[in-house]
């Protein structure tokens, strides 16, 4: 018996010594690897069986530190809530970095990046087994970024209850990230009234799909809940928006600018082509607040749903000859907004949006786009928005640069592919109050537009525009929406009422061998229930609108005058029909006058081609007229 106990004691001592030696060896290898690969100093406080405490990783050259309170390994046998059999759990992780010195951090990684990509080669079966066994959980992450804007600025990010899952089907690597709550603030100390520039809180789920062989991102899914952001006045006066770090650190060469100017592109097309094949973004219950503490004003924008879907299929045949020098892959894009509301500091509604849906689809045949807008009500008061417009004007003046100015001068390319566009807008009312003029409002029940641009052997364009009950109101109560009244009734203050308007037209321009033929234009217009009111209030509103549009109209007039010098052969036909037209005048000196006119303008039975020239007009002959004063 004594020999047995002594042998057991010896084995226990050997096991303990091997355990301590193995722990010392693991810590030693990890420390050496961090010094050689990451150029960082690793410190471990205590190392137990499946439990590590007080881990510190410090990058001395870049003043960056990573601290972990606890690190342990758990199993599904101990906690049934775990999604995998084995879980790597972290307690509180604290990260501290300096943004001005973070640019040099890529140097040590870039030297060993090529070696790591060659060394890291996992078999798909082994990777699939590894993904099904392990998961990563973090209780809290605190990130502190110094010198974001200036030397006295700080960016703090706090993330609670994070989960990281990795799955694989042999061809793709699927990474799922779940962040229960994210709180972020950008702080700045100084003589400003507010030290907080931006506040942000949200919950996030992120899913990434990466091809194992190609190592490219193929799909991304982002789900955001309860996003609440507050943008303070100091943000627009800081350098975060005036000049981005990418523009300041990486100037664009002149050669790239000239190349971009030679080959014009559509806005947003370059971004869509560089997105992953599948993108899905969904944001629910979003709230954004713009606060101006100096004026004690704030704007609140709430949105119930924002959804963006994008899909590109490069395996199918692309749309040939989208432009003269490029093709376009098959893709579909959809944007959906629901229940948007913009409120002022007095809780008055400024913008009320029910739903907005826009979609673009590219096939091998054509490019089709659609826009559906339902119930949009806008109340613009210049006295409330003048402070915000002045603040945004200062921000845009500071953000302009010579490179951006050259990019703004780009011309749009000529699209050779067939285009089909349809839109439907219903229940829209826009009221404007400029302050020095009487308020006015514009509203309509519905507007629909169908447009087609085809290029078989000629440029053929046709479209149909339909307007239902358009009303322009002027006066103090113009912002109040009223129900449509009967056609034979007029309400003073309605400067323009149009019950229905229909315009159908087509334009054909021959190409190639048939380009010597004349262009043809056909228009068919029907106007029903037109009421026009001429009053002093209408004249004031019109003069104010024309004064705002004056500088642009002068430039367009010069360009039109120069284009009339060219000889253009055009065959045209116009059918115009006006039913139930009423004219009302109201003046303090004359009084009120009512005049009713019904007229129809039709082309002659046989007509010859007439070249387009300025000054050619046809005066219709009124068939019925009635005036009362």
């Amino acid at each position: 018996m004594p020999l047995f106990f002594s042998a057991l004691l010896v084995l226990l001592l050997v096991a303990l010594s091997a355990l301590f030696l193995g722990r010392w060896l693991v810590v030693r290898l990890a420390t050496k690897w961090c010094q050689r690969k990451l150029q960082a100093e690793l410190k471990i406080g205590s190392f137990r069986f499946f439990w590590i405490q007080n881990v510190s990783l410090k990058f001395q050259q870049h003043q960056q530190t990573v601290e972990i309170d606890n690190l342990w390994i758990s199993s599904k046998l101990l906690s049934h809530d775990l999604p995998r059999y084995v879980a790597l759990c972290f307690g509180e992780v604290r990260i501290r970095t300096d943004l001005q010195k973070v640019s040099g951090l890529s140097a040590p990684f870039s030297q060993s990046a090529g070696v790591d990509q060659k060394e890291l080669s996992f078999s798909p079966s082994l990777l699939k087994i590894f993904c099904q066994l392990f998961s990563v959980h973090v209780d809290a992450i605190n990130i502190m970024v110094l010198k974001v804007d200036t030397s006295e600025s700080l960016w703090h990010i706090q993330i609670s209850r994070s989960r990281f899952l990795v799955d694989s089907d042999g061809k793709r690597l699927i990474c799922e990230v779940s962040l229960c709550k994210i709180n972020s603030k950008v702080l700045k100390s100084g003589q400003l009234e507010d030290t907080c520039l931006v506040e942000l809180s949200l919950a996030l789920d992120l899913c990434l799909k990466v091809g194992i062989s190609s190592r490219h991102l193929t799909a991304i899914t982002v789900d955001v809940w309860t996003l609440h952001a507050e943008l303070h006045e100091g943000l627009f006066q800081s350098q975060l928006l005036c000049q981005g770090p990418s523009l300041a650190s990486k100037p664009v060469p002149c050669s790239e600018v000239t190349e971009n100017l030679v080959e014009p592109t559509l806005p947003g097309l370059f971004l869509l082509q560089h997105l992953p094949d599948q993108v899905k973004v969904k944001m629910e219950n979003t709230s954004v607040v713009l606060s101006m503490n100096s004026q004690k004003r704030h704007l609140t924008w709430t949105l119930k749903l924002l959804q963006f879907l994008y899909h590109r299929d490069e395996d199918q045949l692309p749309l040939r000859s989208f432009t003269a020098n490029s093709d376009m892959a098959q893709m579909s894009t959809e944007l959906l907004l629901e229940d948007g509301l913009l409120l002022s500091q007095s809780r008055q509604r400024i913008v009320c949006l029910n739903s907005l849906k826009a979609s673009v689809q590219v096939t091998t045949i054509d490019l089709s786009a659609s826009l559906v807008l339902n119930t949009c009500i806008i109340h613009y008061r210049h006295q409330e928005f003048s402070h915000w417009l002045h603040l945004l004007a200062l921000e845009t003046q500071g953000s302009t640069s010579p490179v951006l100015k050259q990019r703004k001068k780009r011309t749009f390319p000529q699209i050779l592919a067939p285009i089909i566009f349809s839109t439907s807008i219903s229940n829209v009312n826009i009221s404007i109050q400029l302050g020095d003029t009487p308020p006015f409002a514009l509203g309509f029940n519905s507007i629909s537009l169908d447009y087609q641009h085809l290029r078989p052997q000629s440029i053929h364009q046709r479209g149909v525009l339909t307007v239902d009950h358009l009303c322009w109101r002027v006066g103090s109560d113009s912002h109040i929406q009223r129900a449509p009244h009967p056609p034979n009734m007029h309400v003073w203050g309605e400067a323009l009422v149009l019950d229905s308007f229909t315009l159908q037209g087509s334009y054909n321009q021959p190409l190639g061998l048939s380009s010597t033929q004349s262009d043809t234009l056909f228009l068919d217009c029907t106007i029903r229930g037109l009421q026009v009111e001429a009053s002093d209030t209408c004249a004031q509103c019109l003069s104010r609108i024309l004064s705002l549009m004056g500088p642009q109209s002068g430039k367009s007039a010069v360009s039109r005058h120069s284009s009339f010098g060219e000889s253009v052969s055009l065959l045209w036909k116009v059918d115009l029909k006006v039913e139930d037209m009423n004219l009302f005048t109201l003046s303090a000196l004359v009084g009120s006058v009512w005049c009713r006119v019904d007229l129809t303008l039709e082309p002659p039975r046989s007509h010859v081609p007439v070249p387009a020239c300025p000054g050619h007009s046809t005066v219709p002959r009124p068939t019925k007229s009635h005036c009362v004063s």
Side-chain angles (χ1 to χ4, degrees), residues 439-441 472-478 492-495 533 535 537-538 541:
F440 57 93
W472 177 37
R473 300 181 299 273
V474 295
S476 58
D477 298 333
S478 59
W492 293 108
E494 295 183 353
E533 177 183 319
S535 61
T537 307
C538 299
C541 295

Side-chain angles (χ1 to χ4, degrees), residues 129-266:
I129 295 174
F130 180 81
C131 295
Q132 292 178 353
L133 290 178
F134 292 94
S135 63
V136 179
H137 302 263
V138 183
D139 290 342
I141 301 176
N142 290 318
I143 303 175
M144 188 177 297
V145 182
L146 303 176
K147 301 178 182 179
V148 178
D149 182 19
T150 59
S151 59
E152 299 177 352
S153 58
L154 172 66
W155 182 18
H156 181 257
I157 305 173
Q158 185 178 4
I159 305 173
S160 60
R161 296 192 303 275
S162 306
R163 185 182 66 180
F164 303 89
L165 300 178
V166 181
D167 198 358
S168 175
D169 57 357
K171 297 181 180 179
R172 296 177 302 175
L173 189 65
I174 304 173
C175 304
E176 298 181 4
V177 180
S178 177
L179 307 177
C180 293
K181 189 174 182 180
I182 303 176
N183 293 323
S184 177
K185 291 184 179 181
V186 178
L187 305 175
K188 183 179 180 181
S189 61
Q191 298 180 356
L192 295 177
E193 185 178 353
D194 52 348
T195 58
C196 183
L197 303 182
V198 182
E199 298 182 31
L200 180 67
S201 64
L202 57 97
L204 175 66
D205 279 355
L206 178 64
C207 180
L208 305 175
K209 295 182 181 180
V210 183
I212 298 178
S213 59
S214 61
R215 296 185 180 181
H216 290 298
L217 184 63
T218 58
I220 179 172
T221 303
V222 181
D223 293 332
V224 180
W225 296 279
T226 62
L227 185 147
H228 179 73
E230 293 187 10
L231 309 179
H232 297 273
E233 182 181 2
L235 174 65
F236 300 94
Q237 297 176 355
S238 63
Q239 297 181 359
L240 291 177
L241 299 179
C242 293
Q243 54 180 4
S246 59
L247 293 175
S249 59
K250 296 181 180 180
V252 181
C254 297
S255 59
E256 296 183 3
V257 176
T258 55
E259 291 178 359
N260 294 333
L261 293 176
V262 172
E263 298 181 359
T265 58
L266 291 175

